[in-house]
Amino acid sequence: MAEKKRYYVGLMIHHLENEYSTEVLKGAITAAEELDINLILLPGRGINAIEDEEKYSIYDYQYNVIYDYVSVKNLDALIVSAGTIGSYISQKEMEQFLRSYRPLPILTMEVEYPGYPCIHFNTNSMKLAVEHLIHSCGCTKIGFVSGPIGNADAMDRLRCYRSALEENAIPYDPNKIVYGNFSEASENVVEMLLDANPDLEAICFANDKMCIGGYHVFQNRGLRVGKDILVTGFDDSDVATSLKPMLTTIRTNVCDMGYRAVCAAYEMIKTGHTESQALDARLIIRDSCRNEKNRKISPEVLRQMALEHRSDEIVYHIFNKYIGDVESKIKTDFMRQIHKLIRSLFDDLCFRKPLHVSVYEQRIDEIFSQTDEIRIQIPALKKILHYAKVVSGYLCENSLETQLAVEKIYSALEDRILDYSIQQQYILRTNLVYSNFLISNINKDMMLNCNDEEKSFFSIVNNLYRVNFKSSYIYTFRVPIVHYQYDNGSCRGIYT
């Protein structure tokens, strides 16, 4: 019986080590495992990318040699993260880049181009933030920090900002627009925006990362975020919950986009066709926007809710404060179990039942033993538990025994999360060391051996490096002269 052909799907993506790319890869790897296909990672850089300082990007073109090794001879389909590798070039240049791989079946992510199916987020998502500022916060003087001019993703978000203003009878003013580069080094453009518009009530940023620079500017000018100036972002990345106050933003499920892209590429291989998909996004309201619904409920109100046995409302409030729409987030088994545990605790507190600490500790052990990955930002999870602990304290002020039991239960939870964080930091450090070693040597050897004759001889299929990543289906390039083996915590080169 003939052996089943395993398909090869390539994934071009910018900055493999950043948070966004990591989330895309999580979804892509999951899909590759389920479909039993080989996923070829092509971790280059943005085409003509310009970092905040030239010295950090002057040699980035060397990473992009990896793109020259892609052809129909060694891949069955190609996924291009157009929103990352094409951020610094025009639409026309990106279309030319995509055409260079014909007749290879190509699918893009983030940004649509004529003739290519695309997995992207709903282009109207940015409107949610602007409309919230207008309708819920009463703002009419709203600035916008866009991404680079010419970047399709940035221009879509700018269009949404303009549409939201016009639909609400607020005049569009180009002087309220500045253009950043999607990086945290946004101080200069935010300074320009505030200098030109000292009466701004709010600023929408086209992504979360640019808010970092914005927060620095606000602090230096004595502006209190959430009070003197309201701020929104886009992506709901780790940045959103690390800023103080936490950032109101648009949540996009990047992991799901990676998953769907691989599934769509597989469909293209099997049928020759696939449809574009627009993924929905949600507004997550936090303290960077003035909104009374998002403020803490007073202890008196909480105690009254407990007397009325409204534990479900209390738990909903606790989770919703930090992760927005609870229903959209509590989808993983881990978060369902954490939610169920906290709900059980507040049921006991509201009905004044005795707290059996050993039972709760056992449940906590079971929850953490059943998962290798917590699919929620750890800072957000810690804040949820801290707030839950504070609220629990309001409900057991008159019972020292109950207070001690609550303290032990939350300590057990916090200890397990700390252990998990330490493990993840170790894994992250190890992966970064390995990635830096591997990628730099791949580029070095490709630059030494990148004449046309060798390009035609060394194909992806014959020169792959297999990565032991729980799955046997994930690959990066193996270079022509030497490939790198990663065993027992160390790398070594094997010349072939």
Side-chain angles (χ1 to χ4, degrees):
M1 188 163 107
E3 184 178 348
K4 175 189 171 184
K5 172 180 171 60
R6 178 173 285 162
Y7 296 110
Y8 285 79
V9 174
L11 172 57
M12 285 184 181
I13 197 161
H14 169 58
H15 268 305
L16 186 61
E17 63 274 17
N18 73 19
E19 178 195 348
Y20 178 86
S21 296
T22 299
E23 288 299 306
V24 170
L25 290 178
K26 284 179 184 177
I29 289 169
T30 299
E33 290 175 334
E34 291 179 3
L35 297 170
D36 192 25
I37 63 176
N38 294 334
L39 180 64
I40 314 301
L41 308 183
L42 303 160
R45 289 288 190 266
I47 303 168
N48 295 338
I50 301 172
E51 300 290 349
D52 306 321
E53 294 188 44
E54 185 181 6
K55 66 181 180 181
Y56 294 131
S57 59
I58 192 170
Y59 298 111
D60 268 4
Y61 70 92
Q62 297 180 37
Y63 287 89
N64 296 348
V65 171
I66 203 167
Y67 300 152
D68 296 336
Y69 283 74
V70 174
S71 80
V72 71
K73 296 179 181 178
N74 46 46
L75 288 178
D76 296 295
L78 176 65
I79 300 168
V80 179
S81 176
T84 63
I85 71 171
S87 288
Y88 300 90
I89 59 175
S90 68
Q91 179 173 338
K92 185 176 180 180
E93 290 171 319
M94 191 63 194
E95 288 176 2
Q96 184 178 357
F97 176 80
L98 295 173
R99 284 196 299 270
S100 70
Y101 294 108
R102 287 179 174 174
L104 184 66
I106 294 176
L107 175 142
T108 66
M109 291 190 301
E110 300 107 10
V111 183
E112 287 191 273
Y113 292 92
Y116 301 96
C118 180
I119 310 297
H120 60 93
F121 293 110
N122 191 322
T123 54
N124 289 325
S125 302
M126 194 78 220
K127 278 188 177 182
L128 298 175
V130 184
E131 289 171 347
H132 172 73
L133 290 170
I134 296 169
H135 298 305
S136 299
C137 304
C139 296
T140 57
K141 300 172 183 176
I142 304 170
F144 191 79
V145 179
S146 172
I149 295 177
N151 176 270
D153 222 10
M155 296 302 100
D156 268 341
R157 294 174 193 180
L158 177 56
R159 176 186 57 78
C160 288
Y161 160 79
R162 180 171 184 171
S163 297
L165 293 182
E166 292 174 348
E167 289 169 10
N168 288 277
I170 299 175
Y172 170 74
D173 182 357
N175 292 322
K176 290 187 172 67
I177 315 297
V178 291
Y179 298 89
N181 64 357
F182 283 140
S183 81
E184 62 187 76
S186 61
E187 286 93 338
N188 289 343
V189 294
V190 176
E191 293 277 12
M192 290 167 52
L193 180 62
L194 291 174
D195 286 343
N197 304 275
D199 59 343
L200 281 182
E201 298 168 322
I203 299 178
C204 281
F205 286 79
N207 76 342
D208 292 345
K209 204 166 187 181
M210 291 192 291
C211 294
I212 297 174
Y215 270 51
H216 290 159
V217 172
F218 303 142
Q219 183 178 17
N220 292 338
R221 291 188 174 221
L223 296 174
R224 298 168 297 173
V225 174
K227 296 180 179 178
D228 302 321
I229 185 119
L230 309 188
V231 181
T232 67
F234 194 102
D235 288 332
D236 196 25
S237 63
D238 281 343
V239 169
T241 50
S242 66
L243 291 172
K244 186 176 181 180
M246 289 192 292
L247 184 65
T248 293
T249 184
I250 303 296
R251 173 178 294 151
T252 55
N253 191 336
V254 179
C255 184
D256 187 42
M257 182 169 64
Y259 180 90
R260 294 196 187 202
V262 171
C263 292
Y266 180 75
E267 184 182 12
M268 287 178 68
I269 296 170
K270 299 291 284 185
T271 68
H273 177 74
T274 191
E275 295 290 339
S276 294
Q277 300 177 45
L279 310 181
D280 288 333
R282 296 173 182 269
L283 176 67
I284 306 301
I285 301 171
R286 300 194 179 100
D287 288 341
S288 68
C289 283
R290 182 175 55 242
N291 187 291
E292 292 306 318
K293 294 180 181 178
N294 199 46
R295 300 299 180 189
K296 290 184 180 179
I297 298 176
S298 68
E300 292 74 20
V301 172
L302 286 166
R303 292 188 193 102
Q304 184 60 38
M305 291 169 72
L307 288 173
E308 296 170 0
H309 301 159
R310 291 155 57 191
S311 56
D312 55 338
E313 293 183 41
I314 296 174
V315 174
Y316 182 92
H317 166 73
I318 291 168
F319 277 77
N320 202 63
K321 175 175 172 58
Y322 291 104
I323 62 174
D325 185 351
V326 175
E327 287 79 6
S328 71
K329 195 67 178 179
I330 303 179
K331 290 184 177 179
T332 66
D333 287 337
F334 174 81
M335 280 309 296
R336 272 193 289 267
Q337 293 297 324
I338 291 292
H339 187 270
K340 187 177 179 180
L341 179 79
I342 300 299
R343 173 64 189 276
S344 177
L345 176 59
F346 276 93
D347 282 343
D348 288 346
L349 290 173
C350 290
F351 285 92
R352 300 186 182 279
K353 295 180 180 178
L355 298 179
H356 300 290
V357 175
S358 60
V359 174
Y360 277 98
E361 289 176 339
Q362 183 179 350
R363 288 179 62 182
I364 291 167
D365 288 340
E366 290 172 354
I367 291 171
F368 280 87
S369 65
Q370 292 171 3
T371 184
D372 293 325
E373 182 179 5
I374 297 178
R375 293 198 172 186
I376 182 175
Q377 299 160 7
I378 295 298
L381 180 57
K382 287 180 177 178
K383 287 170 181 174
I384 288 170
L385 296 179
H386 174 74
Y387 189 32
K389 184 177 178 180
V390 170
V391 173
S392 299
Y394 296 149
L395 307 185
C396 58
E397 290 176 335
N398 299 323
S399 171
L400 180 59
E401 182 180 356
T402 306
Q403 288 179 26
L404 291 173
V406 166
E407 184 68 34
K408 288 179 181 179
I409 292 168
Y410 283 109
S411 292
L413 263 172
E414 291 164 356
D415 286 346
R416 293 307 299 265
I417 291 172
L418 179 60
D419 290 343
Y420 176 85
S421 297
I422 292 171
Q423 292 167 4
Q424 292 305 302
Q425 289 300 315
Y426 177 77
I427 292 170
L428 177 62
R429 183 185 66 82
T430 303
N431 287 343
L432 284 174
V433 170
Y434 174 47
S435 296
N436 286 327
F437 174 86
L438 182 62
I439 293 173
S440 62
N441 278 280
I442 284 174
N443 282 281
K444 178 195 71 176
D445 290 326
M446 282 186 172
M447 292 300 293
L448 290 172
N449 300 280
C450 66
N451 61 57
D452 291 338
E453 181 181 351
E454 284 161 343
K455 282 184 183 179
S456 64
F457 178 76
F458 294 108
S459 72
I460 292 180
V461 174
N462 293 325
N463 292 281
L464 289 173
Y465 175 76
R466 189 173 193 161
V467 179
N468 183 16
F469 200 137
K470 289 190 177 180
S471 163
S472 57
Y473 316 127
I474 315 304
Y475 295 80
T476 59
F477 266 103
R478 192 189 77 178
V479 297
I481 299 299
V482 57
H483 74 274
Y484 301 97
Q485 185 167 317
Y486 189 62
D487 290 320
N488 301 321
S490 63
C491 286
R492 60 191 179 93
I494 300 177
Y495 288 84
T496 56

